[in-house]
Amino acid sequence: MKDLTPDPNRPLNVSRRGFLAGTGALVLSVSLPTRNARAQGEAAPVDAYLALNTDGTATLQSPFIEGGQGVFSALAQIVGEELDLEPSQIAVECAPPGDAYKTIDGARFTGGSLSIRSSYTLMRTLGASARTMLVQAAADAWGVEAGEVTTEPGTILHEASGRQAGFGDFAEAAMDMPVPTGVSLRDPVEFRWIRQPLPRYDVRSKSTGQAEYSIDVQIDGLLNAAVRHAPRLGLTPSSVENLDEVEAMRGVHSVHMLDGAVAVVADKFWQARRAVESAKIAWEAGDSNYPMPADFSSTEFRDVLRAEAGPGVEVEAEGDAPQALENAETVIEAEYDAPFLVHGQLEPPSTTARFNKDGTLDLWLPNQAPEMFQGAAAGAAGIPAENIRIHSQLLGGFFGRHFLYADASPFPQAIQLARATGRPVKVLWTREEEFLRDANRPMAVARFRGAVDANGPAALAIEAVGEAPIGRWYGASPGQDGSAHEGLSGKPYAIGNRRVGHVFVQNPAMIGFWRSVGHSMNDFFYESFLDELAEAAGRDPFEMRHDLLEGSNRHRTLLETVADLSGGWQGTAFDAEGGERRARGVAMASPFGSETATIAEVSLDGGAVRVHQVWVAIDPGQIVNPAVIEAQVQSAVALGVSQTLVEELVYDDGEPQARNFDLYPILRPDQMPEVHVRIVESGATMGGVGEPGLPGVAPAIVNAVANLTGQRVRSLPLSKYDFG
Amino acid sequence: MQLNVNGSTHEVDVEPDTPLLWVIREEIGLTGTKFGCGIAQCGACTVLVDGQPTRSCVTPAEGLEGAKITTIETVEDDPVGKKVVEAWVDQQVPQCGYCQSGQVMAATALLTQTPNPSDADIDAAMTNLCRCGTYNKLRAAIRSASEG
């Protein structure tokens, strides 16, 4: 039985186009229906994708960026499965900008937990096509029917004659083969590597300090720059009072007034930093598309959000929630909020820029979208995009940090300084400068009105108040911006009368995508209020959820799975070993095409909450690497616990009050709970893996806290409260 | 001044208060040691100074003459360090990897001083931050290295 999959992106043989001339390798590309291609008619496909080398190895150009999520390893697993080559024999590199890599509806980015699920069929088709061409080349050379030729990993075989050859022996001959159409893909029951917990390829280099990130880029003649940013966007330097002193400091090459920042260029970064820290800078009003008001306060902004009247643009509705609420005997209301957050990736942003004699520009930088950065860099440099080479570096964490946001990346500064000095320049932001220019997870408020009867919720009206990143950066209008209401909408529960509205309020801060985006707070709001409804109805929150999932076996299975994983649902507080009082909470989420059910166990340590254990059942539909999924859930849970317990970025007088991890704590190792993961492969359409583990964590913890203390928390983080 | 890094003596000409981190990265050219926060909060810059885990971002170079400084680049030359690295690989600890040089150095120091650490020993010694949340894998790797 073969899984005959049509080729949505039929590979093309570009070996003979002169691309990678002289390598003698089979090189496949694809012609994707990109936005550019549609605009220009037939685009010339010249981008390499999969190269089969004469030494028997293969090289894959990845459309996606590796930042710890394991995507390079997973791609090698998928391609290797169909090519019949050990994944360890496939080197994966981040592809340069190119239309062939715009695999997500004509766009290219690493985010939305989309990498594997958006490219799974494409990668399988590439591997299967290359294998078919190798087989045909061998069959022709041996004078036998292709149907009699088989493969074993890395080897081509003709059993009847006993002939065999390595893939590399036919890499050149396969160059002349036409690309097969309708190539058949391997039956999943025959998978050798897909679904296996293969090790990731880069773990040793990351355990020995050999892995290189943007901050480590070294090129000849490099100067280093440090900057001081204006305390808020909309200010720009008017003068450096002690300019002579700064210029005279050791190692200093030059001092530059940039848009919204002062930069010192020096031989070494530490010299540049020391000098720029000593600069006495006067700031004045400047130009910015996103000026930060001088009196902006996050506390006051929360009041602004709370005061904005609903019901907002309707984004989801069933039945007649307003009428049902009007007629109901028992109606409860609640208002929830979540704070601004920073990404806190441990590698501070940097960019190295080099102008070349031929007028081209090389940029080494962290990014989640090479073509978007290339386009923005073209604007900053005033040269055509095709004259800019983007070298996408391994990311020292990202979590949404390295999308293209206004004023949030060092590359315009690096470009300006490289041009001004006539030398290659690396700009590195200190953690303090990063806190001033990160694009924050936006603060938001959600208002709920719910009606209950003896069974549970009969009606639910929700208003999501605030601005979200898809609207800010991709022009989605209120009602069209899923990042504002995902996790309030799209829930699986059978509540007959419901309405979700988005009440748009512009956010003066720079906002961005943060791991699991709207879900990072909306599922906290929703699943916490669902427990409030259960309490009002006199129901156990687990049992009530189970009833509300009557129409979905997939969700019920997941809820039952997490209960089983945790040793059976415990709905009341209990004494743990040693007499400590503990309680559990439960939550569900439907993020990024996957489904999760989460249970958390908490106790009080003095007046603070301690999270002991988190159990997650995750159903991504279909899987590639269970070890990567487990690692991603561990990671997402850590970030979820962190934002629940300790994270909050406070603005006063237009400035973030924290500029480093001393005043903005992130989860410490001794605060990490044990995490237990069970993967349910339901066979549904493949979902995402990187983000889905996060959204259920906050509500599971907060519901557990309510169960333990009787206190319902509606505003994060928990460190604001004393439960003693 | 003269600094002994990874068994070699390096003559470096820096301001005396230059943090050891930047001497290692920029003067000696070893970039495995990372810059994360600059204020000794995250531990990405952890190196060993005479065997003690040290946050090099706030440790001035002056006063380190004569000290034996060890960075991630030679950690596998040490039998305990080698065991730690193997445990890190076996347990697939790193994700983005940026904090892991510092984590490996801190774990090597811990297991050198306390070959069979208790949970409390691990809590006390392993305080470096990891934004990817590899904390459980870290602990498992330390456990397996201590048993191995």
Side-chain angles (χ1 to χ4, degrees):
Chain A
M1 189 181 74
K2 286 283 182 187
D3 174 13
L4 281 172
T5 308
D7 300 346
N9 319 290
R10 192 188 145 200
L12 299 147
N13 187 347
V14 296
S15 309
R16 304 173 72 205
R17 287 175 167 273
F19 195 79
L20 298 183
T23 62
L26 167 63
V27 182
L28 294 182
S29 185
V30 291
S31 179
L32 293 169
T34 66
R35 287 166 186 154
N36 284 347
R38 277 200 295 271
Q40 298 166 7
E42 194 68 21
V46 293
D47 302 314
Y49 235 110
L50 177 65
L52 202 62
N53 307 313
T54 50
D55 66 358
T57 64
T59 308
L60 180 73
Q61 298 294 321
S62 168
F64 310 106
I65 321 284
E66 179 59 62
Q69 79 279 40
V71 67
F72 282 10
S73 298
L75 291 176
Q77 236 169 308
I78 299 165
V79 171
E81 184 70 66
E82 297 290 351
L83 177 57
D84 208 0
L85 184 64
E86 287 273 357
S88 63
Q89 298 300 301
I90 303 175
V92 183
E93 301 168 353
C94 184
D99 280 346
Y101 310 117
K102 296 177 177 173
T103 58
I104 305 172
D105 293 334
R108 179 185 182 190
F109 58 89
T110 303
S113 297
L114 275 160
S115 299
I116 296 301
R117 57 180 168 137
S118 70
S119 68
Y120 186 54
T121 302
L122 167 63
M123 292 297 156
R124 292 179 69 188
T125 305
L126 276 168
S129 300
R131 179 184 170 278
T132 303
M133 293 162 81
L134 284 169
V135 164
Q136 188 63 56
D140 289 358
W142 293 340
V144 300
E145 288 296 315
E148 298 171 10
V149 176
T150 59
T151 58
E152 284 179 359
T155 304
I156 311 167
L157 304 155
H158 183 250
E159 204 170 320
S161 64
R163 271 175 290 205
Q164 68 174 59
F167 279 11
D169 298 337
F170 282 99
E172 284 187 61
M175 283 168 36
D176 296 323
M177 294 293 127
V179 178
T181 56
V183 62
S184 58
L185 302 181
R186 191 173 276 271
D187 186 330
V189 302
E190 296 171 4
F191 283 165
R192 287 85 34 92
W193 297 307
I194 291 175
R195 288 192 179 137
Q196 294 304 308
L198 299 192
R200 283 169 284 130
Y201 80 101
D202 56 2
V203 164
R204 182 170 293 276
S205 69
K206 288 171 171 175
S207 302
T208 52
Q210 300 304 304
E212 293 188 353
Y213 304 82
S214 294
I215 192 175
D216 303 319
V217 167
Q218 267 303 333
I219 55 174
D220 286 345
L222 187 65
L223 290 170
N224 287 277
V227 301
R228 287 250 307 278
H229 287 132
R232 58 180 192 275
L233 286 176
L235 293 178
T236 204
S238 58
S239 66
V240 175
E241 290 167 25
N242 57 341
L243 183 62
D244 291 348
E245 279 172 45
V246 177
E247 286 177 335
M249 289 179 72
R250 183 168 180 189
V252 171
H253 175 283
S254 48
V255 180
H256 303 261
M257 311 274 266
L258 306 178
D259 189 16
V262 169
V264 172
V265 179
D267 293 330
K268 305 284 166 60
F269 172 76
W270 183 254
Q271 295 167 336
R273 182 186 177 182
R274 180 203 297 270
V276 83
E277 294 300 320
S278 76
K280 293 172 181 159
I281 305 167
W283 305 99
E284 64 181 8
D287 291 329
S288 172
N289 290 330
Y290 300 92
M292 168 60 89
D295 60 352
F296 180 71
S297 142
S298 48
T299 306
E300 288 173 16
F301 184 60
R302 189 174 59 184
D303 293 338
V304 169
L305 294 175
R306 282 174 167 164
E308 189 73 15
V313 182
E314 186 171 288
V315 296
E316 184 179 295
E318 191 171 310
D320 188 343
Q323 191 62 46
L325 284 161
E326 179 101 17
N327 297 340
E329 274 183 31
T330 308
V331 173
I332 65 168
E333 300 186 10
E335 196 166 74
Y336 283 76
D337 64 78
F340 289 109
L341 302 176
V342 304
H343 289 93
Q345 81 295 340
L346 277 194
E347 183 193 11
S350 63
T351 299
T352 298
R354 182 183 68 198
F355 281 99
N356 305 298
K357 284 186 181 137
D358 62 2
T360 61
L361 170 65
D362 284 277
L363 290 173
W364 292 262
L365 76 175
N367 74 83
Q368 292 177 244
E371 290 77 9
M372 294 181 205
F373 277 70
Q374 186 189 39
I383 63 175
E386 57 265 32
N387 289 353
I388 301 176
R389 279 180 292 275
I390 298 286
H391 306 272
S392 300
Q393 302 294 298
L394 188 63
L395 301 173
F398 57 118
F399 322 113
R401 174 64 184 88
H402 296 302
F403 281 109
L404 187 63
Y405 310 116
D407 300 313
S409 304
F411 71 86
Q413 298 169 348
I415 290 169
Q416 200 175 337
L417 294 171
R419 177 166 279 151
T421 59
R423 297 267 299 272
V425 173
K426 183 196 290 180
V427 176
L428 169 62
W429 288 359
T430 61
R431 183 61 55 184
E432 289 78 9
E433 301 310 313
E434 161 68 345
F435 262 71
L436 275 183
R437 289 294 176 272
D438 190 8
N440 303 145
R441 200 285 300 274
M443 169 179 267
V445 160
R447 279 192 292 266
F448 294 86
R449 294 186 73 221
V452 294
D453 55 29
N455 294 323
L460 182 57
I462 309 171
E463 295 166 7
V465 189
E467 182 186 1
I470 292 180
R472 170 76 64 97
W473 301 115
Y474 300 98
S477 54
Q480 305 299 313
D481 182 358
S483 63
H485 54 80
E486 57 192 5
L488 295 169
S489 58
K491 300 296 287 189
Y493 305 112
I495 299 174
N497 299 291
R498 58 180 200 274
R499 180 191 188 277
V500 182
H502 178 197
V503 182
F504 178 84
V505 178
Q506 191 174 353
N507 195 320
M510 190 61 68
I511 61 171
F513 298 90
W514 193 90
R515 196 173 192 169
S516 80
V517 196
H519 286 284
S520 70
M521 47 194 166
N522 288 334
D523 285 289
F524 155 61
F525 301 152
Y526 187 106
E527 293 285 321
S528 299
F529 189 69
L530 197 58
D531 264 37
E532 293 199 61
L533 293 173
E535 190 180 348
R539 300 284 321 269
D540 174 89
F542 181 92
E543 296 301 331
M544 188 182 84
R545 280 179 177 80
H546 198 263
D547 288 352
L548 289 171
L549 295 171
E550 192 176 3
S552 171
N553 282 334
R554 187 183 185 190
H555 291 96
R556 271 200 166 172
T557 299
L558 210 56
L559 189 61
E560 289 161 5
T561 300
V562 77
D564 178 59
L565 185 64
S566 67
W569 168 244
Q570 287 188 267
T572 53
F574 58 94
D575 290 326
E577 230 171 283
E580 182 182 59
R581 201 76 183 145
R582 294 188 186 182
R584 294 181 182 179
V586 63
M588 300 193 74
S590 306
F592 306 96
S594 291
E595 302 290 339
T596 66
T598 306
I599 291 176
E601 179 178 300
V602 306
S603 71
L604 295 182
D605 184 358
V609 171
R610 176 157 191 84
V611 184
H612 296 272
Q613 307 203 70
V614 175
W615 296 269
V616 180
I618 179 168
D619 176 7
Q622 305 169 51
I623 70 168
V624 172
N625 185 323
V628 166
I629 295 171
E630 202 263 345
Q632 285 304 293
V633 172
Q634 285 266 354
S635 175
V637 167
L639 204 56
V641 175
S642 190
Q643 71 146 344
T644 307
L645 293 186
V646 294
E647 292 189 42
E648 174 184 31
L649 187 67
V650 174
Y651 281 89
D652 271 324
D653 301 323
E655 297 181 29
Q657 296 304 289
R659 297 282 296 275
N660 209 319
F661 297 127
D662 52 349
L663 297 181
Y664 184 101
I666 63 176
L667 194 76
R668 300 187 315 260
D670 63 340
Q671 295 171 309
M672 180 75 186
E674 287 179 31
V675 179
H676 315 271
V677 181
R678 188 173 294 170
I679 299 166
V680 176
E681 195 175 1
S682 65
T685 303
M686 185 181 279
V689 159
E691 297 167 279
L694 196 148
V697 174
I701 292 172
V702 167
N703 287 336
V705 169
N707 199 354
L708 184 68
T709 67
Q711 189 172 339
R712 173 55 58 183
V713 170
R714 300 191 184 90
S715 176
L716 293 180
L718 294 175
S719 56
K720 293 193 293 189
Y721 307 87
D722 183 353
F723 296 95
Chain B
M1 65 184 78
Q2 289 195 330
L3 292 180
N4 183 317
V5 177
N6 298 335
S8 305
T9 302
H10 297 263
E11 180 70 41
V12 294
D13 180 16
V14 295
E15 296 294 318
D17 63 351
T18 302
L20 176 60
L21 168 66
W22 296 103
V23 175
I24 291 168
R25 286 183 61 86
E26 301 203 289
E27 307 294 331
I28 300 174
L30 298 173
T31 57
T33 306
K34 301 305 186 200
F35 167 58
C37 69
I39 59 168
Q41 290 285 314
C42 75
C45 64
T46 303
V47 299
L48 304 186
V49 176
D50 291 331
Q52 294 299 318
T54 302
R55 296 196 169 173
S56 63
C57 73
V58 294
T59 305
E62 66 182 331
L64 293 177
E65 283 191 273
K68 187 167 169 275
I69 298 158
T70 308
T71 71
I72 186 71
E73 280 82 359
T74 58
V75 75
E76 287 178 286
D77 295 348
D78 175 82
V80 176
K82 189 172 177 55
K83 213 162 58 171
V84 169
V85 168
E86 291 310 317
W88 248 239
V89 175
D90 288 347
Q91 298 287 331
Q92 296 277 294
V93 174
Q95 290 194 18
C96 92
Y98 195 76
C99 74
Q100 297 296 344
S101 294
Q103 305 280 10
V104 166
M105 298 313 286
T108 299
L110 167 64
L111 292 177
T112 300
Q113 287 157 19
T114 313
N116 290 294
S118 65
D119 273 330
D121 292 334
I122 295 175
D123 283 345
M126 299 301 295
T127 57
N128 290 4
L129 300 177
C130 173
R131 190 58 159 167
C132 300
T134 63
Y135 296 134
N136 287 330
K137 297 270 190 205
L138 274 164
R139 189 175 290 266
I142 290 170
R143 285 255 162 275
S144 77
S146 73
E147 290 156 5

